Amino acid sequence: MQRILSRAARRCTNSSAAFKSPLAQANVASGVHSEDAPTCSNEYDNFTWKNSLVRSVQADIVNALRRGDRQRASMILSNFQNTDWELTKDDFSHILEYCAEAPDPLFVMETLELMEEKTIGMSKGIYRYVIRALSRGGYFKEALHWLTLLGEKESTHATLPFFNIFLNSCGSSANLKAAECCLETMENYFLGKSEITYCELLKIAVLQENLPAVYDIWKDCTRYYSPSIIMQRKFVRALTTFGDLQSAYHILQHMVAIAAQSSDHLRLSSKRRYQSPRLDIPVLALSESEDLKLLPDCNLQPSQGKLATGENSADVQPELFEEKTQSFEIVELKADVLSEGNNLADKVGLENGSVLDTLRIVGSAVRRILRWSFNDLMHACVQFNNCQLAEQLFLEMQKLRLRPSKFTYDGFVKTVIASKGVAYAVKVIEVMERKGIKPYNDTLAALSEGFSKDLQLDLAEDFLERISEIRPKHIRAVNALLSGCEIMNEPERAVRILAKMKHVNMKATLRTYELLFSLFGNINVPYEDGNVLSHVEVSKRISIIEMDMLNNEIQHSFVSMKNLIRAFGAEGMIEEMLRYLNVAENILWDINPYQKSDLYSVVLHALVQAKESHKAIMIFKIMRSCGLPTNISIYTTMIECCKWLPCFKSASALLSLMLQDGFHPTVVTYTSLLKVALTKDDFEGALDLLDTCKTEGIEPDIKMFNAVLSHAYYKGQIHVIEYIVECIHREKIQPDPSTLWYTFCVYEEHELYNTAIEALQVLSMRMISEDVSIRGDKITAFEDLILSEEPDAELRITRTFEAGAFCGIC
C-alpha cells in the first residue's frame, strides 16, 4: 500500500506541481516516500494535495476493476484504513459511481463496510450509486434494505427517484416480487408516484404480459395526473404489444390533442433521449386510491403481495381510454375530421387556427414522437393483420402533415401484402419511388416473399436482387423463393439462389435444408424411373446437403427427414429409404405418434409404387403392432398394394378394417379398389364399384374413370371405353388429356381413324368446357391455335394447355 501511495504521490507531483508547496516538491525530489508525507506550507496546499492523491487512488481502484483484477482493487481499498487522513463520502464517490454503472454489487458492499468502519456519512449521491449497483446486480433484498433506511431519514425527503431506480432494475430483470415489495415500501412512506414511476410499472406489466395491469396503470395515472406525450407513447407501444389496437388508437388521439394544445418543446437528455420540459411532480399517495394489480401474491419481505395478475382486478374495457380526464378530452381522428367542415381545433379547445396550423408550428421533436407512435401502431397492424386500421393511420398522417418515413411505408406495405395482395403493395412502392423514398431492404424482402407465395418467381427473384445488403434476417424471403421453386419444379432457379446465398455468405436455416432435400433429392422423377446413374447422383447430393448441415451444427427435423425419405422412395432407392426410416426413429425421439405414422405413410406409398408389396405388408404390420394411428391415406395405399398380389379379398378385408377404425371410404379409396378389380380383368366388378360409389353419395372424378379407360385400352375393349366416355359426359365431368389419349388410341389401333378424329374433336371441346355457351366463345380461338402453321405454334399450344394456363382460360 505504501508503494501505491508513493507512486500516486509522485504522479500528483509530476502532473500538477502548482498544487504543492516548495517543501513538498523538495521532499519528492529527494526521494521521500508517502509515509514521510511532505510538509505543506499551509492548510490549502495540504487539502489540495490530499484530494489529488485520493482521486488518483480511486482511479487505480477503478482501473483494477475494469481489468478484472478484483484482488488488487480490494487491497488498495483495504489500505485506506492505514491512512491518517479524515476520509469523507466524496473519497469513495468515483468508486461507487463505477460500481453502479458496471454493475458491481459485491465491491459496493465491500466499500460500504469500510465506510461504516470509518463512520462516514451517506449522501443522496452515495445512496443513488449503492441502490443502482445492488438492484442492477440482482441484490434486490439488500437494495430494498437501503431504500428503507433512506426513507427513514428525516433529512432525506425526495426519495422517489431512488425507488424509480429500483423499479427500473426490477423491470430489466423481470423480478415482479421485488417490484411488489418496492411498491409496498413506497406506500408505507406515502411517496406517491411520478411519471417515471408509471413508466417503470408499465415496463413490468409488459414483461409479465399482463394487459389488465396496463389498464390499471393507465387508470391510476390519469386519475390525478396528465401524462405527457412521451408517457402516452409508451402506453401505445405497450398496448400494441398485446394486440389491443383499439385502445392504442385512442391514446394516439390523446397525443394529437396534446400536440395541438401544448406549445412545449421537448428537450434531449445526456443520453440523447427526449424529455418533457415540465416538472415531474409526484402524485400524492392518497388513502382512497386503488392499488395496482400485477401479482397475485408475494413472499419477499418486508411486503405482502398487492399487485395481481388480473384475477381480482376490474375487467377494464378499451372504452376506458375514451373517458374524459381532468386534463384533456378525447379527439376522434375520423376520416371526416378534416373534411366536411369539421375543425379539429374546435374539438381540442383551440381558439384560433386549425389543428394543421398548430401541428405545423410545434417542435420537430413532438412531431417525431407522433410519427413514432403512428409507426408503432402501423407495425402492430402487420402482426395482427388489420389493414383497415393501417390505411386509416396512413390517411391521417397525411392529413396531419406528418410525412411518412421509410419505416412507416415498411409497415404499411407489409400490411397490404397480407390483405390486398402483393400487386397493390407494388403500387405503394412505386409511389414511394416517385417521392424519392427508397424502400427498406426488409420491405423488398417482404415483397419478394409475397411474390414467391403467389408463385410469380421472376418478380420474386427480381425484388430479392434489389436488396442492397442481404442479411441473415432475409433468409425467410430466400426460403420462400426456394419453396416456390419446389412447387414449380424449377431446380435451376434454386441453384442460382443458392449461389447468391454463398456469395453473400448467408447461412442456411433448417427450413432451407428441408427444401433442399425436396428440390435436389431426386433426378428423374416424375419423368422416368430411377436408374443406377441417378441413384449415385442422388446419394452424392444428399451426402453434400447432410455434410453442410453438420458443418452448420443443424440437426434433422421431422420435415427434413420426411423429405429425405420421400426423395429416396421417389427414386426407387428402397434400401436407403428403409435405412433412413430406422435413423429417423432413433434420432427423432420427440416426434408424436401421428408424425411417426406420417413417415410410415410415405414409406408405404414408395413401396407400393416400387411394387414391393411384401415389404409394404411388413411395414403395415409393424405399424399395427406398435399401435401407431392410421388414416384414410394409409388404408388406401394398402388397398392399392393388393393389385400387385393380386387379391381383391385382401382389399375387401382392409376396407372392412378401415370402417372398423371409423374411417369412411373416399373417391380415392374406391379408385384403388377399382384398380384391384381390374387386375383380374373384372370389368363388371369395376362398373359395379362405380355404381356403389354413386350410391354412397360419393361423386366419381375423372381419375376414377381414367383407371377403367386405361385398362380397357390395354385390353382393346372399345365398348367399355364408349360406355365410360358416355358416363363421363352424363356426369358432366371435364375430360383430361389422359381421357383423350386412351379414347383416341383405342380407335386408332383398331384402324377406326374417322371415329378417332371425331372422338378427339368432341372430347377436346368438352375438355375446354362442358358449358356450351362458354365453349362457343373459345372454339374459334382454339381452332386457330391448333391449325396454325406458324413456327412457334407448337410452343404456343404447349403453353396454352399447361395446367395453370388452362385453368385460367377455363
Side-chain angles (χ1 to χ4, degrees), residues 355-371:
V355 67
L356 294 180
D357 296 331
T358 306
L359 291 179
R360 190 184 301 116
I361 63 176
V362 299
S364 59
V366 174
R367 298 177 64 85
R368 190 174 293 113
I369 294 293
L370 284 176
R371 185 183 296 109

Side-chain angles (χ1 to χ4, degrees), residues 23-33 36:
L23 177 59
Q25 298 181 38
N27 289 337
V28 173
S30 61
V32 177
H33 296 287
D36 302 322

Side-chain angles (χ1 to χ4, degrees), residues 166-167 170-171 173-184 201 204-214 216-217 291-301 303-313:
F166 185 87
L167 287 174
C170 294
S173 59
N175 194 323
L176 304 177
K177 291 183 179 180
E180 165 62 24
C181 295
C182 180
L183 291 178
E184 179 73 15
L201 293 175
I204 295 172
V206 172
L207 288 174
Q208 193 194 9
E209 299 181 356
N210 191 344
L211 181 58
V214 175
D216 288 340
I217 294 169
D291 296 326
L292 297 179
K293 308 293 184 181
L294 290 178
L295 283 176
D297 195 8
C298 182
N299 298 322
L300 183 64
Q301 297 297 330
S303 65
Q304 299 296 327
K306 294 184 62 118
L307 305 178
T309 52
E311 298 177 3
N312 300 322
S313 60

Side-chain angles (χ1 to χ4, degrees), residues 266-283:
L266 301 179
R267 63 188 182 189
L268 280 176
S269 68
S270 59
K271 295 183 178 181
R272 307 296 298 174
R273 294 178 180 175
Y274 285 113
Q275 292 180 337
S276 176
R278 70 182 186 184
L279 293 177
D280 188 8
I281 303 175
V283 179

Side-chain angles (χ1 to χ4, degrees), residues 423-447:
Y424 186 90
V426 171
K427 296 180 180 179
V428 178
I429 295 296
E430 293 174 353
V431 173
M432 287 181 61
E433 293 175 342
R434 284 199 297 269
K435 293 182 177 181
I437 302 176
K438 185 178 179 180
Y440 277 146
N441 288 335
D442 291 355
T443 311
L444 298 175
L447 288 167

Side-chain angles (χ1 to χ4, degrees), residues 496-523:
R496 293 201 304 268
I497 299 170
L498 292 176
K500 176 72 173 179
M501 289 179 61
K502 184 177 181 181
H503 177 70
V504 299
N505 197 24
M506 174 182 284
K507 289 187 177 181
T509 62
L510 177 59
R511 176 57 180 162
T512 311
Y513 290 113
E514 292 172 353
L515 293 168
L516 291 182
F517 284 122
S518 183
L519 273 165
F520 303 107
N522 51 66
I523 304 297

Side-chain angles (χ1 to χ4, degrees), residues 43 69 92 112 213 230 235 258 262 380 387 511 522 590 610 792 808-809:
E43 292 182 0
D69 191 353
F92 300 91
L112 290 175
I230 297 176
F235 273 101
I258 289 178
S262 176
C387 182
R511 176 57 180 162
N522 51 66
D590 58 338
D792 61 341
I809 293 173

